Amino acid sequence: MIKTVRTIAAAVGLLAPVILHAQQPADTTKPAAAAPASVSVPVDFSGVLYANYQYRGDAGAAKSTNKFDLERAYFTFRMPAGDRASIRLTADVFQQTTAPNDVFYRGWVIRAKYAYLQYDYLKSATGWNGFVRGGMLQNVVIEHVESFWPRWISQSPIERSGAFSSADAGVSSQLTFPNKFGEIYATIVNGPGYTSRETDRFKDYAARLTLTPFSGSSNRIIKTFALTGWTYVGAIGSQFANGGVGQIGPIGESMPRTRSGVFVGVRDPRLSVGAEWDTRKDARETGANTVLLPRVEIDTTGRLIAGFVTAKPFQLLNDKSTFPLGLIARWDRFKPNTDLPGYINTVIGGLTWDLTKKTALALDYQEQTPHSAPGVATTKTYFLHLVANY
């Protein structure tokens, strides 16, 4: 008993100074310790949603096929990265339809569309501005054409024809001319596009020059007139690059994958018109790279001609009108091989209706018709499109 009492007394003796200190009033004469400084990084968030309902009207097994489709959802984050530097990350949400990946999962997945660091190396009061980018960035001309044509209705003509992807990994630079007179944009990229890793040692080089000679005009539509010329010099590796058993030897040289074109257009909320002429050169291989079946490279030249218009007729007739009805029309002709008679026509037409300043609907018809072009199916599809910007 005595031992227990002594133990308790010793414990109280040890805790007493702590208890008494806790009961003392705070010393207000001493400055309080500063809280850790918080760092705030401004982040700009935006995005766009593409959705549609589609109904197939062509003959055959696909007739009457219909579905609701979330085609795309983009989430874009922009933030500064120090003086004159910034970062952009755009996440692309899409449905997995590529075999064999869709065997494992057929739902919606996410991937990077754009992910780059931008450094503004030139900011001039005279109007000269320039930047350089590195990462997953815009390819040479597709985004430029999409500033004239509504991407939520369909891909631009050059992308729809399969010329190249709208984004790729690499570096780019842009120089903007004074008085909004135009710009020059150049890229060096891997080549396969943002949906694939690099597949060979070759790089693709591209440049675009856009001039807006009437930027000083008082006419709202004429001042947006743009004339663009672009070129894309690419290359792909041989399927026999590594050689193999029975082959003559590895094939180290590249095969051409080049494109070039001219685009002209005007863009205004009331009227947007565009026309383009593009050419491309592609190579493929036949044979087995053996003595009996030697490798043969076959080069083909293709051509694309396209034109489109989007208009809000009531707003064109009256500048003060806000009536949201619009018209869209487009025609493409893609000839994969100019040495052969085959070609594919694409026709798009319909009506648009602006629900708000950032959302719109479109009721449109899209038809793809091959003419002596083997391996290309005829499609006739009715769409109800929705776009929502946020």
Side-chain angles (χ1 to χ4, degrees):
M1 180 67 178
I2 295 175
K3 187 177 181 181
T4 302
V5 172
R6 288 177 178 174
T7 302
I8 295 174
V12 171
L14 291 173
L15 292 175
V18 180
I19 297 171
L20 291 174
H21 179 75
Q23 290 177 342
Q24 296 299 318
D27 186 355
T28 58
T29 63
K30 295 181 179 179
S38 61
V39 179
S40 177
V41 179
V43 177
D44 177 72
F45 171 71
S46 62
V48 61
L49 175 72
Y50 300 155
N52 68 72
Y53 171 76
Q54 53 185 272
Y55 181 90
R56 293 283 295 270
D58 42 284
K63 185 177 182 179
S64 300
T65 300
N66 64 96
K67 65 175 180 177
F68 293 99
D69 189 20
L70 176 61
E71 181 184 355
R72 282 290 190 276
Y74 292 114
F75 304 99
T76 296
F77 301 86
R78 291 182 173 90
M79 62 205 78
D83 187 33
R84 292 196 175 197
S86 59
I87 291 174
R88 174 179 174 178
L89 173 62
T90 296
D92 175 18
V93 180
F94 70 103
Q95 188 174 21
Q96 181 60 266
T97 58
T98 304
N101 298 336
D102 62 342
V103 175
F104 170 71
Y105 180 66
R106 297 186 178 184
W108 278 259
V109 296
I110 188 169
R111 66 189 174 197
K113 175 70 179 287
Y114 303 119
Y116 58 76
L117 171 69
Q118 174 175 315
Y119 179 75
D120 301 319
Y121 61 81
L122 179 61
K123 286 186 175 181
S124 171
T126 62
W128 291 97
N129 294 287
F131 63 74
V132 61
R133 291 172 179 168
M136 195 82 72
L137 43 82
Q138 295 87 344
N139 233 321
V140 63
V141 74
I142 291 176
E143 186 178 71
H144 174 66
V145 175
E146 288 178 350
S147 65
F148 295 81
W149 166 257
R151 167 63 182 84
W152 57 284
I153 301 294
S154 172
Q155 292 178 329
S156 64
I158 191 68
E159 184 177 13
R160 183 163 178 159
S161 68
F164 45 77
S165 175
S166 58
D168 207 339
V171 294
S172 70
S173 182
Q174 179 171 296
L175 181 65
T176 303
F177 306 143
N179 302 317
K180 299 181 180 180
F181 190 72
E183 63 189 25
I184 184 168
Y185 180 66
T187 65
I188 304 175
V189 297
N190 283 337
Y194 72 101
T195 63
S196 170
R197 61 175 176 80
E198 175 62 302
T199 56
D200 55 44
R201 63 184 178 87
F202 304 105
K203 297 293 174 281
D204 293 358
Y205 306 85
R208 168 177 59 84
L209 174 64
T210 297
L211 299 177
T212 50
F214 307 120
S215 58
S217 172
S218 59
N219 187 289
R220 288 169 52 189
I221 296 178
I222 296 299
K223 70 186 300 181
T224 67
F225 174 83
L227 176 63
T228 296
W230 62 273
T231 185
Y232 184 104
V233 181
I236 59 174
S238 169
Q239 61 179 316
F240 307 111
N242 298 322
V245 178
Q247 294 188 26
I248 297 173
I251 306 298
E253 68 263 22
S254 66
M255 299 186 296
R257 180 176 176 262
T258 62
R259 289 93 170 87
S260 60
V262 177
F263 174 84
V264 60
V266 296
R267 55 184 174 186
D268 183 84
R270 301 166 299 162
L271 176 67
S272 182
V273 180
E276 63 182 281
W277 180 90
D278 307 307
T279 184
R280 58 190 288 177
K281 184 177 182 180
D282 294 282
R284 61 184 178 88
E285 296 171 298
T286 62
N289 195 34
T290 62
V291 175
L292 295 178
L293 293 173
R295 168 188 176 270
V296 177
E297 179 181 324
I298 301 174
D299 296 344
T300 59
T301 300
R303 183 177 62 238
L304 170 67
I305 303 173
F308 57 79
V309 58
T310 68
K312 291 185 169 60
F314 292 95
Q315 297 180 22
L316 278 172
L317 295 173
N318 183 358
D319 285 342
K320 297 182 179 180
S321 174
T322 58
F323 197 70
L325 179 67
L327 307 175
I328 54 173
R330 176 174 138 185
W331 174 82
D332 304 353
R333 172 169 289 186
F334 175 50
K335 195 173 180 62
N337 189 342
T338 56
D339 293 331
L340 300 176
Y343 60 91
I344 303 116
N345 279 349
T346 299
V347 175
I348 301 174
L351 306 173
T352 65
W353 187 273
D354 294 338
L355 297 175
T356 70
K357 291 183 178 180
K358 292 189 175 183
T359 61
L361 292 173
L363 182 63
D364 57 283
Y365 171 76
Q366 301 190 21
E367 177 180 305
Q368 175 181 273
T369 308
H371 297 266
S372 301
V376 180
T378 298
T379 61
K380 299 178 180 181
T381 311
Y382 300 90
F383 285 94
L384 177 62
H385 279 104
L386 165 70
V387 62
N389 296 275
Y390 49 91

